[in-house]
């Protein structure tokens, strides 16, 4: 693995050297490295590209890394990853894709991740997307996440896309059963002529189920963003969806939060706010000796933390 690939792994998965625990590294369309543990098995699918990650019931405190890196121009791939998290497990999964496009052709990674979160299991899932280019080729990613949370299950999903992705369309669909909880936090920044679409749909089917979907985004240059979120309350449940965006330059942002109550005891809230950086924020930081550009960067970085 060369220095470029090592740097990508550090950015998208906090990997420096060999990580502890189970991991599966995919590089330029093929398996690069894999390690399994007593409680975490990783198997290559036989019918299509992708892997099955099987976590034994009762597993506690393990971290699984499954990064994807692309350093070839013109490479386009689609993978299917299934996560089977056993009952009462408590684990962290670090995913993400990094692209270093060294040429003039499109490099693209699309993936469908399907989660089966067992009864009373807890999952913290982190997914980071990053791209960089030496040439004129686009870096494109289209992730789809399908989440099934069983009774009493809990899942946190943190997604980050901060730099270098020319086009992305993220689809997330979730079903939450009795006493289950889903928390989604999205951080997104686009610039230049980049385009990003996010589409979240959550069905709160179980009694006392809950969901909290929060998006923070910054749009710069001539970039465009579209945020859609739909929470369906189908039982006694609570749901909240929120989109906050900072718009700069000639960018365009559309926020479309939607809530649907299909049950008398469904309690749902949606919020959306889009605006530019407030002048008083810039002035306050500039009085501390920052330039206007430095002040903008500080505000944006703080907003996306």
């Amino acid at each position: 693995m060369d220095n470029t690939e090592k740097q990508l792994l550090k950015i998208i998965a906090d990997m420096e050297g060999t990580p502890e625990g189970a991991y599966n590294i995919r590089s330029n369309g093929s398996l690069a490295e894999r390690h399994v543990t007593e409680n975490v098995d990783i198997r290559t699918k036989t019918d299509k590209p992708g892997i099955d990650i099987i976590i034994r019931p009762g597993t506690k405190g393990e971290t699984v890394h499954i990064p994807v890196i692309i350093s070839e121009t013109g490479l386009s791939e689609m993978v299917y990853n299934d996560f089977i998290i056993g009952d009462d497990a408590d684990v962290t999964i670090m995913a993400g894709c990094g692209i270093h496009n060294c040429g003039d052709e499109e490099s693209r990674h699309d993936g469908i991740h399907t989660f089966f979160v067992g009864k009373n299991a807890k999952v913290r899932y982190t997914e980071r997307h990053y791209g960089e280019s030496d040439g004129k080729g686009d870096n494109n990613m289209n992730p789809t996440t399908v989440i099934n949370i069983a009774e009493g299950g809990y899942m946190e999903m943190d997604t980050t896309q901060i730099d270098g992705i020319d086009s992305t369309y993220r689809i997330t669909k979730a079903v939450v059963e009795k006493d289950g909880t889903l928390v989604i936090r999205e951080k997104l920044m686009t610039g230049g002529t980049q385009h990003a679409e996010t589409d979240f749909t959550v069905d709160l089917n179980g009694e006392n189920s809950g969901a909290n979907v929060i998006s923070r985004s910054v749009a710069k240059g001539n970039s465009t963003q579209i945020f859609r979120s739909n929470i369906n309350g189908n039982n006694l449940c609570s749901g909240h969806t929120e989109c906050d965006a900072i718009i700069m330059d000639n960018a365009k942002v559309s926020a479309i939060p939607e809530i649907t109550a299909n049950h008398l005891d469904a309690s749902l809230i949606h919020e959306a706010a889009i605006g530019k950086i407030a002048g008083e924020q810039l002035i306050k930081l500039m009085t501390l000796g920052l330039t206007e550009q430095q002040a903008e960067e500080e505000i944006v970085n703080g907003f996306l933390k």
Side-chain angles (χ1 to χ4, degrees), residues 22 36-44 51-57 59 62 64 82-86 89 91 93 116:
V36 301
T37 67
E38 180 181 353
N39 295 318
V40 181
D41 192 14
I42 302 175
R43 304 172 185 173
T44 300
I51 55 177
D52 294 328
I53 300 92
I54 303 166
I55 298 172
R56 291 180 55 183
T59 299
E62 293 214 28
V64 184
D82 290 349
F83 302 79
I84 298 93
I85 296 98
V91 296
I93 299 171
F116 301 92

Side-chain angles (χ1 to χ4, degrees), residues 63-80:
T63 299
V64 184
H65 289 82
I66 55 161
V68 173
I69 52 177
I70 295 175
S71 58
E72 294 180 1
T73 190
L75 178 64
S76 180
E77 64 172 356
M78 177 75 173
V79 299
Y80 303 81

Side-chain angles (χ1 to χ4, degrees), residues 63 74 87 102 105 160 165 183 189 203 228 262:
T63 299
D87 296 350
C102 54
E105 299 180 64
T160 303
I165 307 302
V183 178
M189 184 160 67
D203 286 316
R228 302 182 187 91
N262 298 313

